[in-house]
Amino acid sequence: MVDIDAVRGWLGRLPGGSLVGRYVDDWDAFEKLDRPVVTLFGSYDTGKSSLLRRLLVDSGGDVPGWLTISARHETFEVNDVEVGGCIIRDTPGFAVGASDIRAQNNSRRAMAAVGLTDVGIAVLAPQLATAERDVLQKLFTQGWPVGSMWFVISRFDEAGVDPEYDLAEYRELSDRKVRELRELFELDDRTPVFVVSQDPFQTAGPDTDLSRDTWDDFRGWDGMGDLADAFEAVSPSALPGWRHTAGQRYWTALLDETVTELRRQLSDYTARAEVAASGVARRDVWESELDTLDRAAQASLNGLVEEVMRRSWEPSPGADELQAEIQRTLDEWFTKHEHRLQRLQQSIRKTKERERARPSWAGFASLVATLGVGEDAATTPAGPGGAAEHVETVGTMLIGMLKAANNATGQIASGKARSAKAARDLGRPIGIAEAALPLAVYLAKVVDERGTDRARKNQDKAAAEKRQQVVTECTERTRDTWRPFVDDVREAIVAETRDQVDLDASLRQLVEQLQEAVAEGEGLLRARTVPLLKTEA
């Protein structure tokens, strides 16, 4: 038995927001029904709708307009009708492994409707369950009181034996199929199994304006009488026990499905958090490398300018020759450190290329794109007991939580243009050497202005002061020339890792919260003390 109050409390504390209100609303609506709810479920084209039509017509009821009979997938919603003292629900057929959205939504609606029912009727084709076997097996083991799970082998006139010509063989085949079904799902004799031909030889076809005598010629063997009697025997006195067990099934299924969804989200967000953390680590490494490179360049710059200015005070060739010497010296310095910057840029670019080629990057990039768009994913309206629909909103709630934590519409979106610029900058040559020319012209001009002082001795205090002044000014000008290129690389590093750094803290926090939620949910699952299989009413 699952602790329903504990499950509700847990659902109310999920990361990103509470889902318990939506679950409670569905349960309360079901619990208020004062008649047994019987739900038809199974794969599409097993004859659920034609079976319901036959039950309605035989009981003297009207066939509603939404009930259509076709070999195609025609039922897309969960709908209710009244037959005798029961509410019968027709569900969309589920398609195991379907890839299209409509089929997936139909399957979810059908499975969700089974979560809120007193009696479940699995409708199978004469070939019995194949691809859907595991799905049905999971449903059958969710705690049904004895006699509250029925099986109908439908459209048996299509099983391969014509009862009009060989009724004995038809009944023998029917008995064999019942035995196969009981073996397939390990059913005991207390589980009702019906073999029916609800519309023998498609006598009624797709028509819905029918009378009871439409099938009078087939009532001796079509099996519908036994099924109708079973409906008549459904006793309201069993309703309290069925509802109690339905509550256990419902909240246990929600707990199990939500824990499963949270595990999936935890796996996804753990991978995304690892990508974000790697970005933080790489930014630290790259900035450290850039700082080391910058310090080395500036340390060598001090001695370089001092040496150039010392030469300008010594006997030397003419101004043209001196300017050429200055140009060569500065070119060597700039070229040397330009190559170091380029190697760092190439390392950054190659590292990012490798990272983007990994599968984990696709998930992170998708998250960034979702946060940048600023629109929550739309969710399909849930049918009765829409547990599978609800767990989809877990992902939406987590996205909303990240948006609130990061102010993502401002941070992520505004960073895209800068990131694109950084990517372009990392792919182009730096071109530092060209920046040396204006500096060389300036130094040559200084040399010319100081030409009249060259004859003065180096020991002259005034000349030494002037010389130091020029050294200091030239050093600052050189640094000013160098600094934008270092800043460009730093900006590229920041831009390349911006999304990862921006999301790092919130992703780490979200992963911790998901871990706690999964651990608590798993604890609730382990705390169940009574097996739910074959529970007595």
Side-chain angles (χ1 to χ4, degrees):
M1 301 290 288
V2 71
D3 185 339
I4 293 176
D5 289 337
V7 173
R8 288 183 177 186
W10 175 73
L11 290 169
R13 299 189 300 274
L14 290 178
S18 171
L19 289 177
V20 67
R22 301 178 64 179
Y23 292 137
V24 169
D25 289 345
D26 286 343
W27 172 254
D28 287 348
F30 169 70
E31 193 174 31
K32 289 175 183 177
L33 297 173
D34 58 359
R35 283 167 293 175
V37 175
V38 180
T39 300
L40 304 174
F41 65 92
S43 296
Y44 75 94
D45 198 28
T46 56
K48 296 186 300 298
S49 296
S50 62
L51 180 64
L52 180 55
R53 177 187 63 179
R54 175 71 182 270
L55 291 169
L56 282 167
V57 173
D58 279 357
S59 66
D62 295 327
V63 179
W66 51 260
L67 186 59
T68 57
I69 313 298
S70 171
R72 299 188 302 272
H73 204 157
E74 292 284 357
T75 303
F76 305 115
E77 301 293 339
V78 176
N79 294 291
D80 296 353
V81 293
E82 297 182 14
V83 176
C86 300
I87 298 171
I88 301 183
R89 282 181 173 159
D90 188 27
T91 63
F94 51 77
V96 177
S99 58
D100 62 289
I101 298 299
R102 186 174 72 172
Q104 291 176 357
N105 287 339
N106 288 343
S107 297
R108 284 194 291 267
R109 291 188 181 98
M111 298 294 286
V114 182
L116 291 175
T117 194
D118 299 305
V119 176
I121 301 182
V123 182
L124 307 175
Q127 297 80 12
L128 305 183
T130 53
E132 70 273 23
R133 180 183 181 279
D134 291 341
V135 175
L136 293 175
Q137 185 70 51
K138 182 179 179 180
L139 281 175
F140 303 158
T141 56
Q142 286 183 353
W144 298 84
V146 172
S148 64
M149 173 61 76
W150 303 358
F151 291 81
V152 172
I153 304 176
S154 171
R155 295 166 50 181
F156 209 69
D157 56 304
E158 303 173 12
V161 176
D162 189 339
E164 298 281 287
Y165 290 95
D166 195 338
L167 182 57
E169 186 177 354
Y170 176 85
R171 287 175 174 166
E172 182 183 346
L173 177 61
S174 171
D175 292 340
R176 187 167 70 248
K177 284 294 182 179
V178 170
R179 290 194 300 270
E180 289 178 10
L181 178 64
R182 292 191 186 279
E183 292 174 1
L184 181 64
F185 293 111
E186 300 179 351
L187 306 176
D188 60 28
D189 292 337
R190 296 176 298 173
T191 303
V193 179
F194 304 91
V195 179
V196 303
S197 298
Q198 63 267 45
D199 185 27
F201 315 118
Q202 299 188 25
T203 300
D207 296 341
T208 55
D209 186 12
L210 301 165
S211 62
R212 193 178 188 280
D213 59 11
T214 302
W215 299 284
D216 281 352
D217 292 341
F218 316 111
R219 294 187 185 278
W221 54 265
D222 66 11
M224 288 300 299
D226 292 340
L227 182 60
D229 290 344
F231 271 97
E232 289 293 331
V234 172
S235 173
S237 64
L239 193 56
W242 285 349
R243 286 287 160 86
H244 171 74
T245 311
Q248 284 292 316
R249 283 199 313 272
Y250 178 70
W251 292 102
T252 299
L254 293 180
L255 173 61
D256 182 65
E257 291 171 5
T258 306
V259 168
T260 299
E261 174 64 14
L262 288 175
R263 287 192 191 112
R264 188 183 70 80
Q265 296 286 351
L266 176 58
S267 176
D268 289 346
Y269 279 103
T270 297
R272 293 165 183 173
E274 289 172 354
V275 172
S278 70
V280 174
R282 287 198 178 102
R283 176 183 286 191
D284 291 342
V285 170
W286 288 335
E287 286 188 328
S288 177
E289 290 181 13
L290 181 62
D291 289 340
T292 299
L293 190 157
D294 185 34
R295 286 193 298 270
Q298 296 206 40
S300 65
L301 176 63
N302 292 330
L304 175 68
V305 174
E306 182 76 24
E307 176 64 17
V308 170
M309 296 314 300
R310 185 185 62 79
R311 292 176 185 173
S312 70
W313 258 262
E314 294 177 352
S316 63
D320 291 341
E321 290 80 358
L322 180 58
Q323 182 172 340
E325 176 65 15
I326 294 172
Q327 180 72 62
R328 184 190 63 78
T329 303
L330 290 176
D331 281 350
E332 289 177 355
W333 182 86
F334 274 116
T335 300
K336 174 182 177 181
H337 297 290
E338 174 189 10
H339 287 164
R340 293 180 177 178
L341 281 180
Q342 287 178 338
R343 283 197 298 272
L344 177 57
Q345 284 185 312
Q346 289 170 358
S347 174
I348 295 171
R349 184 173 63 253
K350 290 178 180 179
T351 300
K352 295 302 293 185
E353 288 173 353
R354 288 193 300 270
E355 184 175 48
R356 284 175 169 82
R358 294 171 183 159
S360 57
W361 180 261
F364 182 81
S366 176
L367 174 63
V368 172
T370 300
L371 294 174
V373 169
E375 296 291 339
D376 290 338
T379 56
T380 306
E389 299 285 357
H390 290 328
V391 295
E392 288 187 339
T393 66
V394 172
T396 302
M397 293 191 317
L398 298 181
I399 290 293
M401 181 179 177
L402 285 175
K403 285 184 177 181
N406 288 276
N407 189 21
T409 52
Q411 291 180 353
I412 300 297
S414 64
K416 292 186 181 300
R418 291 191 296 269
S419 296
K421 176 183 181 298
R424 291 194 303 271
D425 288 346
L426 284 175
R428 66 173 177 81
I430 297 177
I432 291 180
E434 290 81 353
L437 182 58
L439 184 59
V441 171
Y442 163 77
L443 286 173
K445 181 181 179 182
V446 169
V447 170
D448 285 341
E449 290 175 351
R450 302 302 178 189
T452 56
D453 294 327
R454 286 178 184 168
R456 303 176 64 176
K457 295 181 180 180
N458 290 339
Q459 291 80 7
D460 185 279
K461 182 177 180 181
E465 290 176 352
K466 291 178 182 179
R467 174 179 167 182
Q468 186 57 48
Q469 178 183 354
V470 172
V471 167
T472 300
E473 185 174 353
C474 288
T475 299
E476 287 305 313
R477 282 181 174 261
T478 306
R479 285 174 176 162
D480 290 343
T481 303
W482 165 255
R483 189 171 296 112
F485 297 96
V486 175
D487 290 344
D488 280 350
V489 177
R490 192 179 305 279
E491 182 180 346
I493 292 171
V494 170
E496 285 289 348
T497 57
R498 186 185 310 278
D499 294 340
Q500 292 162 285
V501 172
D502 286 347
L503 289 174
D504 177 62
S506 56
L507 283 175
R508 280 189 285 108
Q509 181 182 26
L510 179 55
V511 166
E512 291 174 359
Q513 292 177 338
L514 285 171
Q515 288 172 335
E516 293 174 359
V518 169
E520 185 178 354
E522 290 175 339
L524 291 172
L525 286 171
R526 289 192 300 271
R528 289 178 296 172
T529 58
V530 178
L532 295 180
L533 182 60
K534 297 182 181 178
T535 302
E536 294 289 347

